[in-house]
Amino acid sequence: MPDPTPATELATDTVDSHGSTLQFCSTGEEAVDKFLPGIDVIPQVNSGKQFEDDTDIGMTRRSYYEKALPEDQDFELVMRDIPGNADQKAFTDQVVAGTNINMKITRASGRVIEFVLVPQDYFSGESGKETGKQMFACIGKLQNVNFTSVSAGA
């Protein structure tokens, strides 16, 4: 997968308040091909690793083993609702249809997180902070989470 376009070359509405970007696949689970506009803050993503306690009764310290299948983590993504924007509409249409979506976060630090969003619900509302600011949000689970970083030359 190619390195993402540097954030300095992107439209203002595709860069969050921390200088990070969120890309998605406009056709589901293929290569990411669009930047998602209207994001003010991109949520935290965990690796999904889960550990189980396997401490023997005679031990003085606990021990753990990593589960073979990572836990699907909850994910809520809130954005300014811009239904007239073709890129955002491509994303929200997939959410409403319940289509799995490949996504990619590129943090300003160069950390890259790729994952599949499994949409489960969505809602619309108003921002409690800014009068008249309309919001759209989706709730789902993350699968296949992978952490990398942008190559040094990017």
Side-chain angles (χ1 to χ4, degrees):
M1 200 172 293
D3 285 337
T5 306
T8 55
E9 297 178 14
L10 299 173
T12 305
D13 67 352
T14 63
V15 180
D16 81 353
S17 60
H18 301 288
S20 300
T21 60
L22 180 60
Q23 293 172 273
F24 71 100
C25 175
S26 61
T27 58
E29 287 193 67
E30 297 176 29
V32 295
D33 58 355
K34 303 281 183 191
F35 285 93
L36 185 58
I39 303 294
D40 290 326
V41 177
I42 298 172
Q44 172 180 314
V45 175
N46 299 328
S47 68
K49 291 182 179 181
Q50 295 290 307
F51 295 87
E52 191 73 33
D53 187 335
D54 69 347
T55 307
D56 185 87
I57 196 158
M59 297 179 74
T60 58
R61 298 177 86 181
R62 292 200 176 276
S63 62
Y64 302 89
Y65 70 92
E66 186 175 345
K67 289 183 176 182
L69 187 61
E71 186 73 24
D72 292 345
Q73 62 187 283
D74 294 327
F75 189 74
E76 181 176 323
L77 181 63
V78 180
M79 66 194 85
R80 285 175 273 116
D81 197 8
I82 316 168
N85 180 289
D87 291 344
Q88 192 180 83
K89 184 175 182 336
F91 178 79
T92 59
D93 284 353
Q94 289 184 91
V95 168
V96 170
T99 303
N100 290 358
I101 308 167
N102 269 357
M103 300 187 76
K104 180 180 190 176
I105 297 169
T106 304
R107 302 281 185 197
S109 65
R111 179 77 53 205
V112 177
I113 308 112
E114 297 176 275
F115 55 89
V116 175
L117 170 65
V118 181
Q120 296 178 320
D121 200 3
Y122 54 93
F123 62 92
S124 179
E126 293 184 2
S127 170
K129 295 180 179 179
E130 297 178 42
T131 304
K133 186 174 183 181
Q134 304 297 302
M135 308 302 286
F136 180 89
C138 63
I139 301 167
K141 297 282 189 180
L142 299 187
Q143 296 180 338
N144 304 335
V145 176
N146 184 40
F147 282 75
T148 58
S149 59
V150 175
S151 59

